[in-house]
Amino acid sequence: MPTAHAQSVPQMASRKEGTGSGGTSSSSATGVVGKGKGKGGSGDSAVKQVQIDGLVVLKIIKHYQEEGQGTEVVQGVLLGLVVEDRLEITNCFPFPQHTEDDADFDEVQYQMEMMRSLRHVNIDHLHVGWYQSTYYGSFVTRALLDSQFSYQHAIEESVVLIYDPIKTAQGSLSLKAYRLTPKLMEVCKEKDFSPEALKKANITFEHMFEEVPIVIKNSHLINVLMWELEKKSAVADKHELLSLASSNHLGKNLQLLMDRVDEMSQDIVKYNTYMRNTSKQQQQKHQYQQRRQQENMQRQSRGEPPLPEEDLSKLFKPPQPPARMDSLLIAGQINTYCQNIKEFTAQNLGKLFMAQALQEYNN
Amino acid sequence: MSRFFTTGSDSESESSLSGEELVTKPVGGNYGKQPLLLSEDEEDTKRVVRSAKDKRFEELTNLIRTIRNAMKIRDVTKCLEEFELLGKAYGKAKSIVDKEGVPRFYIRILADLEDYLNELWEDKEGKKKMNKNNAKALSTLRQKIRKYNRDFESHITNYKQNPEQSADEDAEKNEEDSEGSSDEDEDEDGVSAAAFLKKKAEAPSGESRKFLKKMEDEDEDSEDSEDDEEWDTGSTSSDSDSEEEEGKQTALASRFLKKAPTTEEDKKAAEKKREDKAKKKHDRKSKRLDEEEEDNEGGEWERVRGGVPLVKEKPKMFAKGTEITHAVVIKKLNEILQARGKKGTDRAAQIELLQLLVQIASENNLGEGVIVKIKFNIIASLYDYNPNLATYMKPEMWQKCLDCINELMDILFANPNIFVGENILEESENLQNVDQPLRVRGCILTLVERMDEEFTKIMQNTDPHSQEYVEHLKDEAQVCAIIERVQRYLEEKGTTEEICRVYLRRILHTYYKFDYKAHQRQLTPPEGSSKSEQDQAENEGEDSAVLMERLCKYIYAKDRTDRIRTCAILCHIYHHALHSRWYQARDLMLMSHLQDNIQHADPPVQILYNRTMVQLGICAFRQGLTKDAHNALLDIQSSGRAKELLGQGLLLRSLQERNQEQEKVERRRQVPFHLHINLELLECVYLVSAMLLEIPYMAAHESDARRRMISKQFHHQLRVGERQPLLGPPESMREHVVAASKAMKMGDWKTCHSFIINEKMNGKVWDLFPEADKVRTMLVRKIQEESLRTYLFTYSSVYDSISMETLSDMFELDLPTVHSIISKMIINEELMASLDQPTQTVVMHRTEPTAQQNLALQLAEKLGSLVENNERVFDHKQGTYGGYFRDQKDGYRKNEGYMRRGGYRQQQSQTAY
């Protein structure tokens, strides 16, 4: 899993009175892409919806086309502003790709420079989040969590856009906005990932990230152009959508799922050991206390003073509890995979039935 | 003084004397006639001799004069130089000195010089003033003279006692001389007198010169008599010599002392007493010195003594007149041998001496016993010649050694009545009594074994790619011949143990050679019975297989030491394997159970074991038994240290791990080059067998997560091949195999074939086999078969049915073979198919799960274990009453197993494709 940039978020915190200019004013012809999953935006956050400019989408796609390949991910900064309960993302720029040669490359400096330059050409320069490409939906990672946490910590309404190029290549644009739930934010602030803390926070893998519905908005001019183009394009161009080849994608997903399950297993084994150790120690502690008590009783009967109290925690150091965050993340990732597979197979089954019907009709 | 009375110097003087006389008396010719000559031409001889003597002494006196001058001007450096010259000059004059005794003047200068130096040494002030060179020279000279003077100690003390007296005596002698009376009655006296006189000659006057001449006349006579005496005593032992001399010396001393008081009437009684005392002291001292010297043979005297006995022996061995008997020769032999192993002994000279001794012995017909004995010793000294274990014999030495052993064997064969053996004690040897069997101590087998080791050493130390190596290798035939002779000899006379040992030697020289003759004979079956019979009789001994069989069986039966048997077995297996008798070799290997405990053997045996295993593997490969070949080679190849394990070279990287000593030991273990097994061939055989095994296996288990590797090294090579950014046509053997593997993976046997068998590979590998063509045909067939299997594994899923004829065409195999291969695959459940006999087709059953199904199954398995683990966590929380879950879990598992086995067919029908 490639690392996400855990960059420090620049100083511009929420500045709500942003003077939106450019094409953001027009609000007609919006196409909902992300199938907003009911609970998205259910939190008490001010932002209920993310409105993305077509430009941003194209820029992200272009960025991946140019630099991302295979399991490598590309990342970048989202710029925009908050308007009422909408987060409008009006522009973005990519992070430069890392190479070993320029280890001393200053990212913060780069971001500042970029934003300053963009400001000069009268573009929104407020930092509202970041985007990242993903490989078969494997984005639920510690790095992403940390990164998003630091963003959200600095800029409350920031989101992360996840772009799945593979799904997009299959015919449907896959772009989703996520942010951490307030619960998880609390936990992350505490930096306590022990089982007890997580239990207390009542956090499960389902309540880690929340998806924010996305709206893609284009200017009228662009819409007109789109209409124009649609007329010209042949149906054949959309054949990816009808591709029946499922095995490769499914296999990859299964493979990844399996890897995560393995990790999960290991995690559980680790936890198991911890549990066993704790209980063993508990027993020892108990025995020790009992012995102590008995001795004290004897002493008392002999008229001697009882033994001094000793610090039990020093004698029995409790074993280090394993951090549960990882397993939570893995569970979250497994969940994502499962969702993906479910979605994919559902679509595919539909396609297969359709193909069968076609076949029968032809015969 | 002791120096002059040691045996060595004595004899040396004689030898040089005889040489001198030959020069100085060319007329004399025969030494025995000399007295006659003397009387006839006295004047002439006199002059010549005198000049020789005078020359030496004059030289000495001149040097002494310079030293004295130097002393006067305190030039120590000059002193040192001159002293060194003096020492040399004295050495030259030794022959004369020996006859005459030490010249008095010489002793005086030595004593004076020492005193002078001590004086200088004590004088701290003076020393400080001295310049650096002088100071340095002073200390050196002081040390030198101290050391030097130790030889003359008695003389010097004597001189120091009465320097006056000796001068007086000289004067008296002079008087005597003028009177015309000389001490002719006793030559010793004459010598001493002359010697004493010499001291006077420091400032030679005409008178003294005249006197000297006269004295020397007498000397001449005395010399002769002395010489004769010497020759007589020559053959006796040196000990008696020295004793005699010592006696002489005492006599001389006493005479001198006796004489002194008589001639010097005016000397006081007290003085006389003192002299008596001095004499006693001196006697004691000289005696002690003699003893000391005898004890001290290994000490600092050695430098002088070392070479001396050798030189001494030479003339004595040729000595005229002495009757050369066994006792004398043996005694001489022992004398020579005594010097053996000592620090300063000249080993080359010793060998020469022994050879001379043999010559003498044979010239005098002393019988074979003595000669055998001396020969034994010659060979032993030849082996001794190199003190260092790592260095090897020089070629000439080696040749000598071989010749000598051959001669020895000749003698032993010619004289069956000679018994040799280690167990014969020196005392019980019988060297001369011809009536009884001759008994000689010595072990021919040990010598031959040692010779063999030397041969190995020579081969190890020669550059294997040089002509020299070939030259050395030619000696191998000789070595073998010798071993064979010893074997024949021991078969008659030796114990079983010895026979085993010599058999092992023979085996070690036979096992690695491919018997081309026998091979040829096998190929061409006998035509005519009469001719073949003759052939057989002729070839019986030559057929190495028969020979090995015979020798090894004897060892198996008779040997009691485990090591010889182990080696014999290994060699036997190696030999079998080399000649493609795979089953015999394998059975022998398995029967011997060597694999179980070979790790306890010593490294050379382990190396032999490794070699044998490798040869076994190669043999299996030639037979087309790839699996066996792979298994046999796996251990050697997987370590990546084949070179080291086979004793064919040291690995560089482990250099820092081992120290110098270990490296030397390892170097000694190396197998000589002509025994090497070609490492590239070995690797190629291994890789090709791995390929033939691994590629079909990989194809069959492509989607199996728990697939294990058959050969790690092969996989490594594949990976290396994959990593190459640009894949050119294969160059090395490995690249060829990798390229072939890739072709085979696709079932493309023709490409595979062209990669494995082509010009390059033929040159590198295949032509090295004795039956290259057979191996190649086998290989082609193997490639075809395995490619067919791979093809079926890989592509069976895309076929509903496939005609066997098509397959047979594709892989150029005949139909029955294809049929049998497919049947085998079906039986082994490798291929889910059935054969349709009438149409000769293979009908696929499609029971193989697809990739997704496989993945899903794996996922299910993993989830199972996840659930299990999860339940355990639950157990902890709930206590230990999780029995219910466990039961359920088992059920779940069973269900899973059921699914895995039979579930596909149903599953498949459900899943629409």
Side-chain angles (χ1 to χ4, degrees):
Chain A
M1 199 52 55
T3 57
H5 296 280
Q7 72 274 52
S8 61
V9 177
Q11 80 283 18
M12 32 201 90
S14 52
R15 223 184 73 190
K16 293 194 175 170
E17 84 292 32
T19 52
S21 63
T24 52
S25 54
S26 59
S27 59
S28 65
T30 55
V32 177
V33 176
K35 295 189 258 317
K37 292 235 169 64
K39 55 186 174 268
S42 63
D44 47 1
S45 169
V47 176
K48 297 262 191 298
Q49 197 182 42
V50 176
Q51 179 186 311
I52 308 172
D53 234 54
L55 172 74
V56 175
V57 178
L58 288 176
K59 265 179 113 170
I60 291 172
I61 293 172
K62 180 161 169 275
H63 182 198
Y64 178 82
Q65 293 290 344
E66 279 169 359
E67 287 182 21
Q69 68 209 167
T71 53
E72 245 170 81
V73 298
V74 297
Q75 293 168 322
V77 175
L78 296 174
L79 301 171
L81 70 167
V82 177
V83 179
E84 291 162 13
D85 62 350
R86 279 200 323 268
L87 176 67
E88 294 183 359
I89 301 170
T90 56
N91 214 327
C92 67
F93 62 87
F95 291 137
Q97 209 71 350
H98 272 290
T99 48
E100 265 90 50
D101 308 338
D102 47 17
D104 52 345
F105 179 78
D106 190 354
E107 276 176 24
V108 179
Q109 186 67 29
Y110 172 77
Q111 285 179 36
M112 296 302 292
E113 282 292 321
M114 273 307 278
M115 278 186 277
R116 198 168 299 133
S117 308
L118 288 168
R119 189 180 190 170
H120 283 314
V121 291
N122 207 13
I123 289 174
D124 279 336
H125 55 270
L126 294 179
H127 214 145
V128 294
W130 57 299
Y131 69 85
Q132 191 199 307
S133 72
T134 177
Y135 178 73
Y136 285 106
S138 50
F139 59 88
V140 189
T141 60
R142 189 60 184 261
L144 183 113
L145 177 74
D146 289 345
S147 192
Q148 180 59 19
F149 169 71
S150 58
Y151 264 100
Q152 245 170 291
H153 193 61
I155 311 162
E156 202 189 329
E157 58 273 12
S158 61
V159 292
V160 54
L161 271 184
I162 303 292
Y163 163 65
D164 191 337
I166 293 160
K167 256 196 203 166
T168 309
Q170 278 168 351
S172 55
L173 175 64
S174 166
L175 201 63
K176 285 177 185 176
Y178 289 99
R179 67 178 171 216
L180 303 184
T181 55
K183 267 190 205 165
L184 192 62
M185 282 300 287
E186 284 302 312
V187 174
C188 286
K189 255 180 223 163
E190 298 292 323
K191 293 217 184 304
D192 181 11
F193 301 124
S194 65
E196 283 79 25
L198 290 181
K199 205 173 158 191
K200 212 174 86 190
N202 194 20
I203 198 155
T204 58
F205 65 89
E206 289 119 327
H207 305 120
M208 288 170 74
F209 295 92
E210 59 183 354
E211 199 181 328
V212 191
I214 287 179
V215 175
I216 296 181
K217 198 197 75 123
N218 288 320
S219 67
H220 295 305
L221 273 173
I222 292 175
N223 283 325
V224 171
L225 177 68
M226 294 291 280
W227 283 114
E228 280 278 330
L229 288 175
E230 200 158 55
K231 257 188 239 167
K232 286 179 188 168
S233 72
V235 187
D237 288 352
K238 289 185 177 175
H239 68 271
E240 295 106 329
L241 200 63
L242 295 172
S243 164
L244 289 175
S246 61
S247 54
N248 195 21
H249 188 246
L250 210 51
K252 277 269 164 50
N253 258 323
L254 274 172
Q255 198 74 52
L256 288 164
L257 183 58
M258 229 154 24
D259 291 348
R260 290 294 92 71
V261 170
D262 269 349
E263 275 173 33
M264 192 71 169
S265 256
Q266 280 170 16
D267 225 63
I268 286 177
V269 169
K270 237 186 263 168
Y271 187 67
N272 233 328
T273 334
Y274 160 71
M275 293 279 283
R276 213 176 307 136
N277 285 347
T278 347
S279 68
K280 210 189 277 171
Q281 206 174 45
Q282 211 67 39
Q283 247 176 356
Q284 281 176 343
K285 207 167 163 181
H286 194 67
Q287 275 178 358
Y288 179 80
Q289 273 172 330
Q290 270 190 336
R291 226 182 306 136
R292 210 54 191 268
Q293 222 170 358
Q294 274 182 351
E295 213 168 305
N296 271 349
M297 294 262 275
Q298 279 179 352
R299 276 169 167 266
Q300 215 170 13
S301 64
R302 274 180 282 166
E304 289 170 46
L307 286 169
E309 282 295 311
E310 276 177 50
D311 195 3
L312 281 172
S313 63
K314 252 185 202 167
L315 272 171
F316 298 100
K317 255 194 186 144
Q320 191 68 35
R324 295 301 290 157
M325 198 35 132
D326 287 336
S327 56
L328 263 186
L329 281 168
I330 294 167
Q333 183 66 65
I334 289 177
N335 190 37
T336 325
Y337 285 140
C338 288
Q339 295 289 349
N340 273 348
I341 292 171
K342 211 170 83 185
E343 225 170 84
F344 181 79
T345 42
Q347 283 174 4
N348 250 41
L349 269 178
K351 278 189 266 184
L352 284 169
F353 278 124
M354 196 164 75
Q356 198 181 16
L358 274 171
Q359 200 91 7
E360 276 165 14
Y361 175 77
N362 280 348
N363 289 344
Chain B
M1 130 188 161
S2 50
R3 182 183 167 111
F4 300 96
F5 293 95
T6 55
T7 59
S9 56
D10 183 22
S11 64
E12 190 186 62
S13 73
E14 266 166 21
S15 66
S16 56
L17 179 73
S18 54
E20 209 170 276
E21 271 162 3
L22 277 176
V23 180
T24 50
K25 294 172 198 158
V27 212
N30 193 339
Y31 189 70
K33 278 179 189 166
Q34 215 206 337
L36 189 67
L37 275 173
L38 260 179
S39 59
E40 273 176 12
D41 199 4
E42 207 169 323
E43 273 304 311
D44 198 21
T45 7
K46 238 192 266 174
R47 190 174 52 79
V48 177
V49 173
R50 185 190 58 207
S51 78
K53 188 172 167 180
D54 266 356
K55 215 170 76 192
R56 298 270 175 249
F57 278 12
E58 215 170 271
E59 206 177 349
L60 288 180
T61 39
N62 281 339
L63 283 170
I64 287 167
R65 206 176 304 137
T66 345
I67 291 177
R68 288 211 184 274
N69 284 340
M71 274 159 74
K72 257 173 226 157
I73 57 164
R74 293 193 142 215
D75 187 353
V76 190
T77 330
K78 180 88 180 161
C79 270
L80 178 63
E81 276 170 29
E82 293 300 319
F83 176 73
E84 271 162 8
L85 287 177
L86 185 65
K88 272 181 205 156
Y90 184 76
K92 277 186 200 159
K94 227 172 166 198
S95 55
I96 296 154
V97 169
D98 277 337
K99 270 183 291 173
E100 318 273 310
V102 188
R104 199 67 193 179
F105 59 87
Y106 192 71
I107 298 296
R108 195 158 81 181
I109 186 65
L110 288 181
D112 287 356
L113 196 57
E114 195 174 13
D115 287 346
Y116 172 72
L117 288 172
N118 283 339
E119 204 175 289
L120 276 184
W121 190 256
E122 297 301 320
D123 183 11
K124 301 277 189 232
E125 286 293 305
K127 228 163 85 182
K128 265 176 209 162
K129 274 180 215 156
M130 226 181 264
N131 68 32
K132 217 172 111 195
N133 279 346
N134 265 352
K136 211 168 143 193
L138 174 63
S139 57
T140 341
L141 183 55
R142 191 161 157 267
Q143 273 174 355
K144 271 196 178 166
I145 200 152
R146 254 195 201 168
K147 209 168 163 187
Y148 195 75
N149 279 5
R150 224 175 291 164
D151 296 357
F152 299 88
E153 208 164 328
S154 53
H155 283 271
I156 289 167
T157 31
N158 205 345
Y159 163 76
K160 276 183 184 168
Q161 294 277 319
N162 44 6
E164 293 299 307
Q165 180 230 21
S166 47
D168 284 344
E169 197 190 345
D170 285 341
E172 187 224 6
K173 286 253 161 153
N174 269 342
E175 273 168 37
E176 263 180 73
D177 179 48
S178 62
E179 275 165 28
S181 65
S182 60
D183 299 320
E184 272 175 308
D185 48 345
E186 261 167 32
D187 38 30
E188 273 95 1
D189 207 355
V191 175
S192 60
F196 295 152
L197 207 97
K198 266 291 164 198
K199 190 196 74 187
K200 261 272 167 180
E202 208 178 333
S205 61
E207 194 189 321
S208 65
R209 278 245 166 140
K210 212 165 107 197
F211 162 67
L212 269 173
K213 260 189 215 167
K214 290 236 166 121
M215 287 301 286
E216 271 147 23
D217 282 0
E218 296 156 15
D219 284 351
E220 195 56 43
D221 289 345
S222 70
E223 200 177 280
D224 284 352
S225 61
E226 207 179 342
D227 272 348
D228 283 345
E229 199 179 290
E230 286 292 332
W231 285 119
D232 286 341
T233 53
S235 55
T236 56
S237 87
S238 50
D239 276 351
S240 66
D241 251 2
S242 75
E243 221 158 273
E244 203 177 293
E245 289 285 56
E246 199 187 332
K248 252 188 237 169
Q249 165 61 22
T250 0
L252 181 141
S254 57
R255 180 160 296 279
F256 154 63
L257 283 163
K258 240 188 268 164
K259 206 178 234 168
T262 47
T263 47
E264 296 272 325
E265 300 276 298
D266 52 339
K267 291 265 177 188
K268 278 175 191 168
E271 209 178 334
K272 201 159 113 194
K273 245 186 210 165
R274 198 194 63 200
E275 268 164 35
D276 269 346
K277 237 194 261 167
K279 167 215 161 192
K280 268 179 204 156
K281 210 162 131 194
H282 161 204
D283 273 3
R284 237 181 290 136
K285 216 179 225 164
S286 65
K287 251 182 206 152
R288 206 187 58 219
L289 271 170
D290 277 341
E291 279 162 20
E292 214 170 69
E293 180 205 340
E294 266 159 27
D295 293 341
N296 269 1
E297 275 188 326
E300 55 183 308
W301 308 74
E302 208 182 46
R303 184 170 47 84
V304 185
R305 295 172 58 82
V308 166
L310 308 170
V311 189
K312 175 192 92 183
E313 241 61 72
K314 211 187 285 187
K316 278 194 181 165
M317 274 194 285
F318 291 119
K320 50 158 192 186
T322 322
E323 194 196 344
I324 296 174
T325 61
H326 289 94
V328 169
V329 172
I330 297 298
K331 200 167 190 180
K332 216 46 27 179
L333 177 66
N334 285 337
E335 257 169 52
I336 296 166
L337 290 183
Q338 234 123 63
R340 183 182 168 190
K342 281 184 187 138
K343 217 167 157 191
T345 317
D346 181 358
R347 290 181 293 269
Q350 210 182 0
I351 292 162
E352 246 164 67
L353 277 176
L354 285 168
Q355 270 166 344
L356 282 172
L357 203 57
V358 169
Q359 223 171 317
I360 292 170
S362 56
E363 272 168 18
N364 289 284
N365 291 324
L366 286 187
E368 306 295 355
V370 176
I371 292 172
V372 166
K373 172 128 183 102
I374 300 170
K375 290 246 182 215
F376 267 130
N377 283 311
I378 291 175
I379 298 164
S381 352
L382 280 168
Y383 292 148
D384 274 353
Y385 186 74
N386 281 320
N388 191 344
L389 201 55
T391 50
Y392 59 102
M393 269 191 178
K394 285 184 208 140
E396 59 266 30
M397 284 288 184
W398 167 244
Q399 209 48 53
K400 230 187 249 178
C401 179
L402 286 182
D403 292 345
C404 211
I405 292 176
N406 262 327
E407 282 165 30
L408 187 58
M409 290 309 298
D410 285 339
I411 296 171
L412 288 179
F413 271 113
N415 301 281
N417 61 338
I418 298 178
F419 285 103
V420 293
E422 285 173 298
N423 43 2
I424 297 169
L425 294 172
E426 292 271 354
E427 296 86 54
S428 62
E429 277 183 333
N430 174 16
L431 302 178
Q432 55 195 76
N433 195 343
V434 192
D435 305 332
Q436 285 164 348
L438 294 168
R439 295 163 72 82
V440 182
R441 181 183 166 80
C443 181
I444 184 78
L445 179 58
T446 319
L447 291 181
V448 170
E449 278 177 343
R450 183 74 200 271
M451 172 199 75
D452 195 30
E453 274 155 30
E454 286 293 338
F455 179 67
T456 314
K457 229 188 279 175
I458 290 174
M459 298 318 280
Q460 279 171 351
N461 283 290
T462 315
D463 173 19
H465 304 294
S466 62
Q467 191 59 34
E468 208 186 339
Y469 194 86
V470 180
E471 289 302 319
H472 284 313
L473 199 54
K474 282 179 189 162
D475 290 340
E476 217 260 339
Q478 276 195 65
V479 172
C480 287
I482 287 174
I483 291 174
E484 223 176 308
R485 292 185 73 183
V486 174
Q487 177 199 337
R488 254 185 293 145
Y489 180 73
L490 287 176
E491 271 169 0
E492 284 170 31
K493 300 199 168 177
T495 61
T496 45
E497 208 174 303
E498 282 172 324
I499 296 177
C500 282
R501 270 162 69 192
V502 78
Y503 274 7
L504 181 65
R505 285 288 151 187
R506 185 84 194 276
I507 289 168
L508 285 176
H509 275 278
T510 316
Y511 79 96
Y512 64 90
K513 291 175 190 151
F514 188 78
D515 194 348
Y516 279 98
K517 278 184 198 157
H519 182 63
Q520 216 58 43
R521 242 174 290 144
Q522 255 176 10
L523 289 186
T524 52
E527 297 134 26
S529 59
S530 59
K531 198 191 164 197
S532 75
E533 227 168 74
Q534 196 190 349
D535 263 3
Q536 238 165 3
E538 190 178 69
N539 289 334
E540 194 64 36
E542 286 173 352
D543 206 332
S544 66
V546 179
L547 178 74
M548 285 294 286
E549 190 79 20
R550 186 166 60 82
L551 299 181
C552 289
K553 284 218 166 125
Y554 185 86
I555 290 179
Y556 301 156
K558 297 282 167 66
D559 176 57
R560 268 183 237 99
T561 64
D562 210 26
R563 193 177 183 276
I564 290 180
R565 188 170 42 229
T566 310
C567 287
I569 292 173
L570 288 173
C571 292
H572 202 178
I573 296 168
Y574 190 103
H575 192 257
H576 276 318
L578 194 64
H579 293 84
S580 300
R581 292 189 291 273
W582 156 251
Y583 290 103
Q584 278 116 301
R586 188 200 58 184
D587 293 347
L588 199 53
M589 182 55 111
L590 292 178
M591 277 194 295
S592 63
H593 289 289
L594 278 173
Q595 279 149 309
D596 306 332
N597 47 19
I598 192 70
Q599 65 269 24
H600 304 303
D602 49 356
V605 178
Q606 284 190 20
I607 286 174
L608 183 60
Y609 172 79
N610 288 340
R611 285 165 55 75
T612 307
M613 278 312 276
V614 164
Q615 198 58 249
L616 205 57
I618 293 173
C619 171
F621 182 77
R622 282 196 305 251
Q623 309 291 307
L625 306 162
T626 34
K627 201 167 170 105
D628 293 302
H630 181 265
N631 288 344
L633 299 180
L634 183 62
D635 282 343
I636 303 288
Q637 278 292 318
S638 61
S639 63
R641 297 187 303 151
K643 200 169 157 195
E644 204 181 355
L645 291 174
L646 294 176
Q648 300 189 355
L650 303 173
L651 286 186
L652 284 176
R653 71 174 157 76
S654 54
L655 253 177
Q656 63 265 42
E657 288 163 25
R658 57 167 180 247
N659 52 30
Q660 212 84 45
E661 208 44 49
Q662 274 171 311
E663 198 190 326
K664 265 187 203 160
V665 172
E666 274 173 42
R667 214 169 271 289
R668 238 174 284 144
R669 267 184 221 144
Q670 297 305 305
V671 177
F673 184 73
H674 58 283
L675 274 83
H676 278 198
I677 295 169
N678 190 323
L679 289 175
E680 195 172 20
L681 170 85
L682 166 65
E683 196 183 350
C684 181
V685 163
Y686 173 76
L687 285 178
V688 169
S689 15
M691 176 187 86
L692 292 175
L693 291 175
E694 185 87 70
I695 297 290
Y697 181 83
M698 274 164 74
H701 298 85
E702 193 160 31
S703 51
D704 190 347
R706 279 172 302 187
R707 171 166 62 104
R708 54 183 183 87
M709 284 181 224
I710 294 177
S711 161
K712 237 179 190 168
Q713 216 207 351
F714 178 69
H715 274 275
H716 175 71
Q717 292 302 339
L718 280 187
R719 270 198 302 277
V720 168
E722 273 164 24
R723 231 178 287 147
Q724 226 83 71
L726 187 69
L727 212 58
E731 278 294 326
S732 70
M733 178 273 298
R734 285 177 196 162
E735 284 167 3
H736 271 101
V737 176
V738 169
S741 307
K742 275 183 188 156
M744 195 187 216
K745 239 188 227 169
M746 313 300 290
D748 183 359
W749 76 272
K750 274 186 186 149
T751 320
C752 179
H753 171 212
S754 70
F755 276 131
I756 290 289
I757 295 168
N758 53 31
E759 281 297 302
K760 254 184 212 162
M761 290 292 273
N762 276 347
K764 270 181 192 152
V765 183
W766 305 125
D767 285 346
L768 300 176
F769 286 127
E771 296 165 295
D773 286 324
K774 231 167 110 187
V775 173
R776 277 191 281 260
T777 10
M778 178 279 297
L779 209 53
V780 173
R781 186 167 169 97
K782 276 273 160 197
I783 288 172
Q784 286 168 337
E785 286 174 13
E786 295 303 327
S787 299
L788 170 62
R789 275 161 55 80
T790 313
Y791 184 83
L792 284 177
F793 281 133
T794 317
Y795 299 110
S796 66
S797 59
V798 298
Y799 283 106
D800 270 330
S801 62
I802 184 166
S803 150
M804 281 204 278
E805 255 171 77
T806 322
L807 285 176
S808 143
D809 281 348
M810 271 171 81
F811 293 95
E812 293 184 16
L813 288 165
D814 49 353
L815 211 55
T817 319
V818 175
H819 188 274
S820 81
I821 290 172
I822 292 173
S823 305
K824 226 183 266 173
M825 284 169 80
I826 291 171
I827 289 169
N828 292 337
E829 293 186 358
E830 291 170 326
L831 188 68
M832 295 305 159
S834 56
L835 285 171
D836 187 37
Q837 208 56 49
T839 51
Q840 289 284 331
T841 46
V842 189
V843 181
M844 303 294 171
H845 285 184
R846 296 203 169 275
T847 53
E848 281 299 295
T850 60
Q852 280 72 46
Q853 284 166 341
N854 258 324
L855 283 173
L857 280 171
Q858 284 173 29
L859 179 63
E861 225 166 89
K862 282 189 174 152
L863 286 173
S865 67
L866 179 65
V867 170
E868 206 173 300
N869 282 330
N870 224 3
E871 274 167 10
R872 258 186 227 145
V873 177
F874 201 63
D875 280 353
H876 271 291
K877 283 200 172 145
Q878 302 287 316
T880 43
Y881 49 86
Y884 169 68
F885 292 105
R886 223 163 254 154
D887 285 348
Q888 219 182 23
K889 202 165 57 204
D890 288 347
Y892 168 73
R893 265 223 201 118
K894 251 177 230 155
N895 191 27
E896 192 191 3
Y898 165 70
M899 268 171 55
R900 207 184 305 158
R901 239 159 252 143
Y904 302 125
R905 259 160 254 192
Q906 293 132 17
Q907 225 176 23
Q908 208 184 1
S909 56
Q910 283 160 12
T911 326
Y913 276 92

